[in-house]
Amino acid sequence: MKKYPRTEKYDNNWISENWMGPNPLWLLEELCEHLDLKPGMKVLDMGCGKGITSVFLAKEFGVTVFANDLWISATENLKRFEEAGVADHVFPIHAEAHALPYAEGFFDAAISIDSYEYYGADEVYFPCTYSKLVKQGGQFGIVVPGLTKEFDKGYPDTLAKFWHGDMFSFHSGEWWRRLWEKTGLVDITACYDIPDPKEIWRPWADWAEVNFKNPDFTDTEFINADTNNDLALIAMTAVKKQPATAE
């Protein structure tokens, strides 16, 4: 599996105490290879969970981060940011994806790690809401769980036993590319399946099996059932187009 040297600087126990899915720092480090983040930029970390991606962005790139999440309270995240020494550069926000308290064109970049699929698979979300938050020439980046291709039923037969409602937001990289590209608002700069997705997923799955004890199924069972290697972790980046000028 590919190594992520920036992530290796962070304590594994701190990561596992605060992750809410496959190692978000690995996924973020992968994504940032296709972004141009510079000190002083304002970055939206959308669906930041317990905020470790926000800490990473502030420490590694010197950006100012607005750490937005619905499930984790801003007060709880603020404590984590203070403990990490980044509270002057990372601001916790508690807001739902369709009711965001930001001005249009406020951000230099908007990033989402393992969250965008919950709200962004809606056809109108990107053009009507999300794209408006970033200035012209600004950047977008997401990593989402998905599939290597589209299936007529929405999922491969090997995973039918485990498939439930919110998994219908799992799509292929090409599906995600078209979703943004057809709006005409951005140029896609990268869109690909991250190598070794199940090896990235597995440490989280094994941890969750011990700590969550879900009676229905575990992520370990889920990824083990993927015998045809249809599961993917998809990285996509884009740049917001400049407005057309009249000739």
Side-chain angles (χ1 to χ4, degrees):
M1 190 184 77
K2 179 180 178 179
K3 299 297 183 183
Y4 295 101
R6 289 182 184 266
T7 299
E8 289 178 1
K9 296 184 288 184
Y10 294 82
D11 181 68
N12 285 332
N13 291 329
W14 178 74
I15 294 173
S16 62
E17 286 169 1
N18 294 297
W19 60 10
M20 297 175 68
N23 193 320
L25 298 193
W26 285 348
L27 301 180
L28 178 57
E29 186 169 347
E30 176 79 31
L31 186 72
C32 286
E33 292 182 8
H34 306 280
L35 296 169
D36 183 19
L37 300 179
K38 298 177 180 178
M41 282 184 169
K42 295 191 294 293
V43 176
L44 173 62
D45 187 4
M46 187 67 179
C48 69
K50 295 184 179 180
I52 63 174
T53 48
S54 302
V55 172
F56 184 96
L57 287 166
K59 287 191 171 185
E60 298 300 315
F61 299 100
V63 296
T64 297
V65 185
F66 288 74
N68 196 109
D69 201 75
L70 176 65
W71 296 344
I72 307 299
S73 77
T75 301
E76 180 182 336
N77 274 341
L78 176 60
K79 183 179 179 181
R80 259 186 293 275
F81 300 152
E82 290 172 340
E83 291 171 348
V86 296
D88 289 343
H89 300 285
V90 182
F91 302 98
I93 306 293
H94 184 258
E96 198 274 330
H98 296 84
L100 298 172
Y102 310 112
E104 292 185 9
F106 182 72
F107 292 105
D108 297 289
I111 292 171
S112 178
I113 301 298
D114 195 10
S115 164
Y116 193 82
E117 69 275 12
Y118 290 115
Y119 42 86
D122 181 339
E123 292 276 338
V124 301
Y125 185 73
F126 186 77
C128 296
T129 300
Y130 204 64
S131 66
K132 294 180 179 180
L133 304 177
V134 173
K135 63 182 61 175
Q136 304 294 336
Q139 302 168 81
F140 300 91
I142 61 173
V143 177
V144 293
L147 299 166
T148 58
K149 62 183 180 181
E150 294 297 303
F151 291 84
D152 290 341
K153 293 187 293 187
Y155 54 85
D157 290 338
T158 56
L159 298 177
K161 173 183 175 182
F162 302 101
W163 215 257
H164 55 78
D166 61 8
M167 288 182 179
F168 285 101
S169 67
F170 283 25
H171 290 286
S172 66
E174 187 58 31
W175 186 93
W176 283 105
R177 173 190 284 272
R178 289 199 304 269
L179 184 69
W180 283 12
E181 209 166 41
K182 68 185 179 183
T183 67
L185 298 170
V186 293
D187 290 314
I188 304 297
T189 52
C191 183
Y192 63 97
D193 295 351
I194 298 172
D196 302 314
K198 287 189 283 191
E199 294 311 302
I200 293 175
W201 208 316
R202 194 170 299 280
W204 151 259
D206 293 344
W207 179 91
E209 187 169 22
V210 172
N211 289 273
F212 288 163
K213 303 185 188 304
N214 187 332
D216 298 322
F217 75 93
T218 67
D219 276 35
T220 300
E221 290 178 294
F222 180 59
I223 61 178
N224 286 343
D226 180 35
T227 53
N228 291 332
N229 295 319
D230 294 312
L231 288 174
L233 290 168
I234 298 155
M236 185 168 72
T237 58
V239 173
K240 190 170 183 179
K241 291 182 179 180
Q242 299 288 349
T245 56
E247 296 184 359

